[in-house]
Amino acid sequence: MAKQHENIFTRECLEGHMTSTGFVVNESHDKVLMAFHNIYQSYSWTGGHNDGDEDWYHVAEKEVLEETGLSSVKCISPIISLDDLPVNAHIKRGLPVQAHRHYNVTYVFEASEDAPICIKEDENSALKWIPFDEIEQWVSEKEMIQVYKKIIERVKKLSLSLH
């Protein structure tokens, strides 16, 4: 894909572009910190567009810190998931955005449930530590539930190897 689209790390690639996400788990590895996303009206992982930055890890960590207000996180995995995600047409900051793809890279970060968190009002309106087994109750983007469940299963395996 990158050979077909020289600008795949920017939003100028209208067909689809690179995004990086952080799946933030608590220290017990049984909850995920999710943000209520203003555009999608659903709880969602943290992350964003690479916007020209080819360092997926840097973008994922930066987005986690920006979107949660956490002062620090600990990365506990190499890339844990690569996904080709559909994005429906929507309005962002008053402008239409056409349907496209997000070629997404995900890392798992760990943070304390006791750490102070703060919403990023231009992107989300709530933050919540969600138990893994309640993910379907809080996520209204049905196509994302399987992605989250896949990552949760990988986190559980990772946790076994860490302990």
Side-chain angles (χ1 to χ4, degrees), residues 106-159:
T106 304
Y107 294 87
V108 177
F109 294 94
E110 183 182 275
S112 169
E113 281 185 78
D114 297 328
I117 54 178
C118 181
I119 64 170
K120 186 172 188 274
E121 291 181 5
D122 65 328
E123 291 190 29
N124 61 60
S125 54
L127 293 165
K128 180 174 184 57
W129 285 101
I130 298 174
F132 286 171
D133 61 356
E134 293 180 16
I135 203 86
E136 289 184 66
Q137 296 171 36
W138 298 97
V139 175
S140 60
E141 292 178 282
K142 299 302 179 199
E143 66 278 4
M144 290 303 296
I145 290 172
Q146 290 308 313
V147 175
Y148 298 146
K149 284 184 172 183
K150 170 185 71 175
I151 294 170
I152 287 168
E153 287 308 309
R154 291 177 181 177
V155 167
K156 288 177 181 177
K157 288 179 185 173
L158 178 67
S159 294

Side-chain angles (χ1 to χ4, degrees), residues 17-120:
H17 36 262
M18 297 302 307
T19 56
S20 299
T21 60
F23 199 79
V24 182
V25 299
N26 63 349
E27 293 165 319
S28 302
H29 299 178
D30 60 0
K31 293 180 184 174
V32 58
L33 181 60
M34 297 192 116
F36 191 82
H37 199 284
N38 293 339
I39 291 175
Y40 303 116
Q41 292 294 292
S42 177
Y43 277 93
S44 166
W45 56 15
T46 58
H49 295 90
N50 281 63
D51 288 332
D53 189 339
E54 295 184 18
D55 183 341
W56 295 305
Y57 175 83
H58 172 257
V59 174
E61 182 181 47
K62 174 180 68 90
E63 292 289 335
V64 165
L65 298 176
E66 285 179 0
E67 293 180 21
T68 65
L70 289 165
S71 60
S72 67
V73 289
K74 173 182 158 186
C75 186
I76 62 168
S77 76
I79 294 171
I80 201 155
S81 186
L82 299 169
D83 298 284
D84 177 353
L85 304 169
V87 178
N88 295 326
H90 60 276
I91 303 295
K92 185 169 185 174
R93 296 185 179 105
L95 298 172
V97 176
Q98 72 180 36
H100 59 281
R101 313 293 296 182
H102 280 173
Y103 308 116
N104 193 70
V105 175
T106 304
Y107 294 87
V108 177
F109 294 94
E110 183 182 275
S112 169
E113 281 185 78
D114 297 328
I117 54 178
C118 181
I119 64 170
K120 186 172 188 274

